[in-house]
Amino acid sequence: MTDEPVTTSEPLIETPTRSELDGLLDDLYHGQERLSQAEIQRRAVAAELPAELLIKVSALPEGEYALDEVADLLGATPG
């Protein structure tokens, strides 16, 4: 028996692609000009975003954000 580490081919935390993040933000902002940080966070949790992205959303300062502002802060393509 050897003490070789076990490796998997799948990442432990799945990072959304830019297009997935763009789609999510488009859904969040459908019919909305601005959303509060609390509303963005609530919807992100409901959408079951990956932990990495939830951490970024949680780190947003309180306030209201336009789509392009959130896209820039989260690394998406401004819509």
Side-chain angles (χ1 to χ4, degrees):
M1 181 180 220
T2 62
D3 290 333
E4 293 181 33
V6 176
T7 59
T8 62
S9 60
E10 306 230 359
L12 296 177
I13 298 175
E14 186 175 327
T15 303
T17 64
R18 184 174 291 254
S19 63
E20 290 173 325
L21 182 55
D22 292 346
L24 174 73
L25 290 177
D26 287 343
D27 289 346
L28 287 176
Y29 278 88
H30 182 75
Q32 304 288 321
E33 271 191 48
R34 300 182 73 77
L35 291 174
S36 68
Q37 183 273 349
E39 182 65 14
I40 295 167
Q41 184 172 10
R42 184 186 71 73
R43 291 184 185 190
V45 169
E48 298 180 354
L49 291 184
E52 179 182 305
L53 203 48
L54 286 175
I55 291 168
K56 287 182 178 183
V57 169
S58 296
L60 292 171
E62 287 186 33
E64 290 192 346
Y65 296 89
L67 174 59
D68 60 340
E69 294 170 318
V70 171
D72 185 46
L73 292 169
L74 298 180
T77 305

